[in-house]
Amino acid sequence: MLNFIITETYKEMSGLAAERIALALKKKSDLVMALPTGGTPVGLLEEMSRMAKSGEANFAKAKSFNIDEYIPLKKDDPQSYYWFLNHYFYQHANISVENTFVPDILADDLTAECARYEQTIQAHGDFDITILGIGHDGHIGFNEPHATHSPVCHIINLNEETIEANARFFSHKEDVPQQAITLGMGTILRSKEIVLIANGKSKAAVMKQLHNCAHIDPLFPASFLLLHPNVTVICDREAASLLNI
Ligand code: F6R
């Protein structure tokens, strides 16, 4: 069973996850991080930015990789996931632009670009810490429920449920990209430490499923986390409301 920590508030959930990053950074100043986007990590990224500004965390040598990126959004598109991390974190912290990585969506051959991104991650010795959100369908990164999963970085077609969930960030649902590049299950599982964060009532059902899951089920992608020895799930009271603990 995965290790769950339940916090009273979203702020507390974000703070605890930020502490994990700060602690890892103290042990290894050139920390290699994989960071998610979406609604869940906003508080975490704001807290990391605060820590950077106050000097509690020094990101000068840290490296940061986007967990996923929409096709075909360019880095400077306000809907792109690179833009998101820059907006909430990079521009507020002393992290060098050359230490921030994202798949190049403008590459002619996106399959080759996935292989290049995977190689870049491996060349950095893989992730020291990966922060994950979770989709209502149990996706981690954008590894959607599917009979098979790619172990490495790859192109994925987004599920209708995910497109609908992400439509809240766009003016029209039709504007939500249908494809993305995501880290593979293997890329995520090679991370030395994984912290999954979840908040709010809408995540209660998926938290219950994750808490109860005892087998690897490719149709519930987060179940692959059972294979990893160092996963912490941090969720707020609302997301934990259906757990029997
Ligand atoms: C985004 C990502 C996704 C999200 C998930 C939850 O970079 O990797 O797995 O973490 O879709 O999104 P929110 O936080 O918006 O509920």
PDB file of all heavy atoms in Angstrom, residues 164-185:
ATOM      1  N   GLU A 164     -12.077  17.174 -21.187  1.00  0.00           N
ATOM      2  CA  GLU A 164     -13.157  17.875 -20.489  1.00  0.00           C
ATOM      3  C   GLU A 164     -12.658  18.518 -19.192  1.00  0.00           C
ATOM      4  O   GLU A 164     -12.973  19.664 -18.897  1.00  0.00           O
ATOM      5  CB  GLU A 164     -14.277  16.897 -20.167  1.00  0.00           C
ATOM      6  CG  GLU A 164     -15.600  17.369 -20.722  1.00  0.00           C
ATOM      7  CD  GLU A 164     -16.553  16.233 -20.952  1.00  0.00           C
ATOM      8  OE1 GLU A 164     -16.952  15.634 -19.951  1.00  0.00           O
ATOM      9  OE2 GLU A 164     -16.870  15.961 -22.136  1.00  0.00           O
ATOM     10  N   ALA A 165     -11.848  17.767 -18.441  1.00  0.00           N
ATOM     11  CA  ALA A 165     -11.328  18.304 -17.170  1.00  0.00           C
ATOM     12  C   ALA A 165     -10.437  19.517 -17.435  1.00  0.00           C
ATOM     13  O   ALA A 165     -10.439  20.472 -16.652  1.00  0.00           O
ATOM     14  CB  ALA A 165     -10.548  17.224 -16.428  1.00  0.00           C
ATOM     15  N   ASN A 166      -9.682  19.502 -18.532  1.00  0.00           N
ATOM     16  CA  ASN A 166      -8.745  20.592 -18.797  1.00  0.00           C
ATOM     17  C   ASN A 166      -9.391  21.765 -19.539  1.00  0.00           C
ATOM     18  O   ASN A 166      -8.769  22.814 -19.685  1.00  0.00           O
ATOM     19  CB  ASN A 166      -7.537  20.065 -19.580  1.00  0.00           C
ATOM     20  CG  ASN A 166      -6.686  19.156 -18.704  1.00  0.00           C
ATOM     21  OD1 ASN A 166      -6.933  19.045 -17.504  1.00  0.00           O
ATOM     22  ND2 ASN A 166      -5.692  18.527 -19.280  1.00  0.00           N
ATOM     23  N   ALA A 167     -10.649  21.574 -19.966  1.00  0.00           N
ATOM     24  CA  ALA A 167     -11.339  22.639 -20.713  1.00  0.00           C
ATOM     25  C   ALA A 167     -11.485  23.891 -19.844  1.00  0.00           C
ATOM     26  O   ALA A 167     -11.603  25.005 -20.364  1.00  0.00           O
ATOM     27  CB  ALA A 167     -12.700  22.141 -21.179  1.00  0.00           C
ATOM     28  N   ARG A 168     -11.441  23.734 -18.512  1.00  0.00           N
ATOM     29  CA  ARG A 168     -11.613  24.892 -17.634  1.00  0.00           C
ATOM     30  C   ARG A 168     -10.488  25.924 -17.803  1.00  0.00           C
ATOM     31  O   ARG A 168     -10.645  27.075 -17.412  1.00  0.00           O
ATOM     32  CB  ARG A 168     -11.717  24.445 -16.162  1.00  0.00           C
ATOM     33  CG  ARG A 168     -10.461  23.872 -15.548  1.00  0.00           C
ATOM     34  CD  ARG A 168     -10.811  23.195 -14.221  1.00  0.00           C
ATOM     35  NE  ARG A 168      -9.678  22.964 -13.334  1.00  0.00           N
ATOM     36  CZ  ARG A 168      -8.855  21.929 -13.454  1.00  0.00           C
ATOM     37  NH1 ARG A 168      -8.999  21.052 -14.446  1.00  0.00           N
ATOM     38  NH2 ARG A 168      -7.858  21.769 -12.586  1.00  0.00           N
ATOM     39  N   PHE A 169      -9.369  25.504 -18.380  1.00  0.00           N
ATOM     40  CA  PHE A 169      -8.259  26.434 -18.591  1.00  0.00           C
ATOM     41  C   PHE A 169      -8.349  27.141 -19.952  1.00  0.00           C
ATOM     42  O   PHE A 169      -7.520  27.982 -20.267  1.00  0.00           O
ATOM     43  CB  PHE A 169      -6.917  25.692 -18.506  1.00  0.00           C
ATOM     44  CG  PHE A 169      -6.667  25.083 -17.149  1.00  0.00           C
ATOM     45  CD1 PHE A 169      -6.647  23.703 -16.983  1.00  0.00           C
ATOM     46  CD2 PHE A 169      -6.453  25.889 -16.035  1.00  0.00           C
ATOM     47  CE1 PHE A 169      -6.421  23.137 -15.733  1.00  0.00           C
ATOM     48  CE2 PHE A 169      -6.219  25.328 -14.786  1.00  0.00           C
ATOM     49  CZ  PHE A 169      -6.202  23.954 -14.632  1.00  0.00           C
ATOM     50  N   PHE A 170      -9.316  26.753 -20.789  1.00  0.00           N
ATOM     51  CA  PHE A 170      -9.434  27.304 -22.148  1.00  0.00           C
ATOM     52  C   PHE A 170     -10.779  28.011 -22.313  1.00  0.00           C
ATOM     53  O   PHE A 170     -11.731  27.724 -21.575  1.00  0.00           O
ATOM     54  CB  PHE A 170      -9.341  26.166 -23.187  1.00  0.00           C
ATOM     55  CG  PHE A 170      -7.975  25.513 -23.244  1.00  0.00           C
ATOM     56  CD1 PHE A 170      -7.588  24.576 -22.288  1.00  0.00           C
ATOM     57  CD2 PHE A 170      -7.068  25.851 -24.251  1.00  0.00           C
ATOM     58  CE1 PHE A 170      -6.332  23.987 -22.334  1.00  0.00           C
ATOM     59  CE2 PHE A 170      -5.816  25.266 -24.305  1.00  0.00           C
ATOM     60  CZ  PHE A 170      -5.447  24.328 -23.353  1.00  0.00           C
ATOM     61  N   SER A 171     -10.879  28.918 -23.319  1.00  0.00           N
ATOM     62  CA  SER A 171     -12.152  29.625 -23.556  1.00  0.00           C
ATOM     63  C   SER A 171     -13.199  28.646 -24.068  1.00  0.00           C
ATOM     64  O   SER A 171     -14.369  28.732 -23.713  1.00  0.00           O
ATOM     65  CB  SER A 171     -11.995  30.737 -24.581  1.00  0.00           C
ATOM     66  OG  SER A 171     -10.868  31.478 -24.345  1.00  0.00           O
ATOM     67  N   HIS A 172     -12.798  27.731 -24.958  1.00  0.00           N
ATOM     68  CA  HIS A 172     -13.726  26.742 -25.502  1.00  0.00           C
ATOM     69  C   HIS A 172     -13.117  25.360 -25.376  1.00  0.00           C
ATOM     70  O   HIS A 172     -11.902  25.205 -25.555  1.00  0.00           O
ATOM     71  CB  HIS A 172     -13.999  27.000 -26.993  1.00  0.00           C
ATOM     72  CG  HIS A 172     -14.426  28.400 -27.272  1.00  0.00           C
ATOM     73  ND1 HIS A 172     -13.577  29.356 -27.771  1.00  0.00           N
ATOM     74  CD2 HIS A 172     -15.625  28.996 -27.091  1.00  0.00           C
ATOM     75  CE1 HIS A 172     -14.231  30.495 -27.895  1.00  0.00           C
ATOM     76  NE2 HIS A 172     -15.474  30.302 -27.486  1.00  0.00           N
ATOM     77  N   LYS A 173     -13.977  24.377 -25.152  1.00  0.00           N
ATOM     78  CA  LYS A 173     -13.499  22.998 -25.047  1.00  0.00           C
ATOM     79  C   LYS A 173     -12.758  22.577 -26.320  1.00  0.00           C
ATOM     80  O   LYS A 173     -11.775  21.838 -26.277  1.00  0.00           O
ATOM     81  CB  LYS A 173     -14.698  22.067 -24.792  1.00  0.00           C
ATOM     82  CG  LYS A 173     -14.289  20.667 -24.416  1.00  0.00           C
ATOM     83  CD  LYS A 173     -15.483  19.749 -24.269  1.00  0.00           C
ATOM     84  CE  LYS A 173     -15.102  18.361 -24.733  1.00  0.00           C
ATOM     85  NZ  LYS A 173     -16.239  17.496 -24.934  1.00  0.00           N
ATOM     86  N   GLU A 174     -13.213  23.104 -27.465  1.00  0.00           N
ATOM     87  CA  GLU A 174     -12.601  22.743 -28.765  1.00  0.00           C
ATOM     88  C   GLU A 174     -11.147  23.205 -28.826  1.00  0.00           C
ATOM     89  O   GLU A 174     -10.382  22.718 -29.656  1.00  0.00           O
ATOM     90  CB  GLU A 174     -13.369  23.388 -29.938  1.00  0.00           C
ATOM     91  CG  GLU A 174     -14.808  22.950 -30.098  1.00  0.00           C
ATOM     92  CD  GLU A 174     -15.723  23.455 -28.978  1.00  0.00           C
ATOM     93  OE1 GLU A 174     -15.613  24.631 -28.598  1.00  0.00           O
ATOM     94  OE2 GLU A 174     -16.528  22.641 -28.456  1.00  0.00           O
ATOM     95  N   ASP A 175     -10.771  24.165 -27.969  1.00  0.00           N
ATOM     96  CA  ASP A 175      -9.394  24.680 -28.013  1.00  0.00           C
ATOM     97  C   ASP A 175      -8.420  23.759 -27.268  1.00  0.00           C
ATOM     98  O   ASP A 175      -7.200  23.923 -27.370  1.00  0.00           O
ATOM     99  CB  ASP A 175      -9.314  26.077 -27.360  1.00  0.00           C
ATOM    100  CG  ASP A 175     -10.161  27.088 -28.111  1.00  0.00           C
ATOM    101  OD1 ASP A 175     -10.448  26.837 -29.303  1.00  0.00           O
ATOM    102  OD2 ASP A 175     -10.543  28.104 -27.497  1.00  0.00           O
ATOM    103  N   VAL A 176      -8.930  22.823 -26.467  1.00  0.00           N
ATOM    104  CA  VAL A 176      -8.028  21.950 -25.693  1.00  0.00           C
ATOM    105  C   VAL A 176      -7.315  21.011 -26.666  1.00  0.00           C
ATOM    106  O   VAL A 176      -7.968  20.321 -27.452  1.00  0.00           O
ATOM    107  CB  VAL A 176      -8.801  21.088 -24.654  1.00  0.00           C
ATOM    108  CG1 VAL A 176      -7.830  20.275 -23.798  1.00  0.00           C
ATOM    109  CG2 VAL A 176      -9.696  21.946 -23.790  1.00  0.00           C
ATOM    110  N   PRO A 177      -5.963  21.011 -26.641  1.00  0.00           N
ATOM    111  CA  PRO A 177      -5.249  20.100 -27.538  1.00  0.00           C
ATOM    112  C   PRO A 177      -5.655  18.651 -27.295  1.00  0.00           C
ATOM    113  O   PRO A 177      -6.012  18.265 -26.179  1.00  0.00           O
ATOM    114  CB  PRO A 177      -3.783  20.329 -27.174  1.00  0.00           C
ATOM    115  CG  PRO A 177      -3.746  21.699 -26.594  1.00  0.00           C
ATOM    116  CD  PRO A 177      -5.045  21.846 -25.857  1.00  0.00           C
ATOM    117  N   GLN A 178      -5.616  17.868 -28.340  1.00  0.00           N
ATOM    118  CA  GLN A 178      -6.037  16.462 -28.260  1.00  0.00           C
ATOM    119  C   GLN A 178      -4.861  15.524 -28.019  1.00  0.00           C
ATOM    120  O   GLN A 178      -5.051  14.355 -27.753  1.00  0.00           O
ATOM    121  CB  GLN A 178      -6.706  16.059 -29.566  1.00  0.00           C
ATOM    122  CG  GLN A 178      -7.730  17.063 -30.051  1.00  0.00           C
ATOM    123  CD  GLN A 178      -9.112  16.481 -30.121  1.00  0.00           C
ATOM    124  OE1 GLN A 178      -9.264  15.320 -30.430  1.00  0.00           O
ATOM    125  NE2 GLN A 178     -10.105  17.278 -29.813  1.00  0.00           N
ATOM    126  N   GLN A 179      -3.646  16.079 -28.180  1.00  0.00           N
ATOM    127  CA  GLN A 179      -2.454  15.240 -28.030  1.00  0.00           C
ATOM    128  C   GLN A 179      -1.429  15.929 -27.135  1.00  0.00           C
ATOM    129  O   GLN A 179      -1.434  17.160 -26.996  1.00  0.00           O
ATOM    130  CB  GLN A 179      -1.793  15.026 -29.392  1.00  0.00           C
ATOM    131  CG  GLN A 179      -2.479  13.992 -30.263  1.00  0.00           C
ATOM    132  CD  GLN A 179      -1.581  13.618 -31.431  1.00  0.00           C
ATOM    133  OE1 GLN A 179      -1.030  14.497 -32.089  1.00  0.00           O
ATOM    134  NE2 GLN A 179      -1.421  12.337 -31.676  1.00  0.00           N
ATOM    135  N   ALA A 180      -0.554  15.126 -26.574  1.00  0.00           N
ATOM    136  CA  ALA A 180       0.525  15.675 -25.749  1.00  0.00           C
ATOM    137  C   ALA A 180       1.729  14.748 -25.844  1.00  0.00           C
ATOM    138  O   ALA A 180       1.623  13.607 -26.305  1.00  0.00           O
ATOM    139  CB  ALA A 180       0.064  15.784 -24.295  1.00  0.00           C
ATOM    140  N   ILE A 181       2.870  15.282 -25.393  1.00  0.00           N
ATOM    141  CA  ILE A 181       4.041  14.420 -25.172  1.00  0.00           C
ATOM    142  C   ILE A 181       4.139  14.248 -23.663  1.00  0.00           C
ATOM    143  O   ILE A 181       3.998  15.223 -22.909  1.00  0.00           O
ATOM    144  CB  ILE A 181       5.322  15.065 -25.740  1.00  0.00           C
ATOM    145  CG1 ILE A 181       5.273  15.043 -27.271  1.00  0.00           C
ATOM    146  CG2 ILE A 181       6.566  14.338 -25.223  1.00  0.00           C
ATOM    147  CD1 ILE A 181       6.499  15.613 -27.954  1.00  0.00           C
ATOM    148  N   THR A 182       4.314  13.039 -23.221  1.00  0.00           N
ATOM    149  CA  THR A 182       4.391  12.775 -21.779  1.00  0.00           C
ATOM    150  C   THR A 182       5.579  11.882 -21.449  1.00  0.00           C
ATOM    151  O   THR A 182       6.025  11.084 -22.292  1.00  0.00           O
ATOM    152  CB  THR A 182       3.094  12.100 -21.270  1.00  0.00           C
ATOM    153  OG1 THR A 182       3.213  11.843 -19.864  1.00  0.00           O
ATOM    154  CG2 THR A 182       2.802  10.778 -21.968  1.00  0.00           C
ATOM    155  N   LEU A 183       6.068  12.013 -20.223  1.00  0.00           N
ATOM    156  CA  LEU A 183       7.031  11.030 -19.725  1.00  0.00           C
ATOM    157  C   LEU A 183       6.349   9.676 -19.743  1.00  0.00           C
ATOM    158  O   LEU A 183       5.140   9.584 -19.538  1.00  0.00           O
ATOM    159  CB  LEU A 183       7.424  11.338 -18.274  1.00  0.00           C
ATOM    160  CG  LEU A 183       8.028  12.696 -17.966  1.00  0.00           C
ATOM    161  CD1 LEU A 183       8.392  12.759 -16.483  1.00  0.00           C
ATOM    162  CD2 LEU A 183       9.261  12.959 -18.824  1.00  0.00           C
ATOM    163  N   GLY A 184       7.118   8.611 -19.945  1.00  0.00           N
ATOM    164  CA  GLY A 184       6.559   7.264 -19.876  1.00  0.00           C
ATOM    165  C   GLY A 184       6.540   6.752 -18.446  1.00  0.00           C
ATOM    166  O   GLY A 184       7.089   7.379 -17.535  1.00  0.00           O
ATOM    167  N   MET A 185       5.884   5.635 -18.240  1.00  0.00           N
ATOM    168  CA  MET A 185       5.822   5.021 -16.900  1.00  0.00           C
ATOM    169  C   MET A 185       7.222   4.731 -16.373  1.00  0.00           C
ATOM    170  O   MET A 185       7.514   4.929 -15.197  1.00  0.00           O
ATOM    171  CB  MET A 185       5.052   3.707 -16.965  1.00  0.00           C
ATOM    172  CG  MET A 185       3.578   3.882 -16.976  1.00  0.00           C
ATOM    173  SD  MET A 185       3.049   4.706 -15.461  1.00  0.00           S
ATOM    174  CE  MET A 185       1.308   4.698 -15.798  1.00  0.00           C
TER     175      MET A 185
END
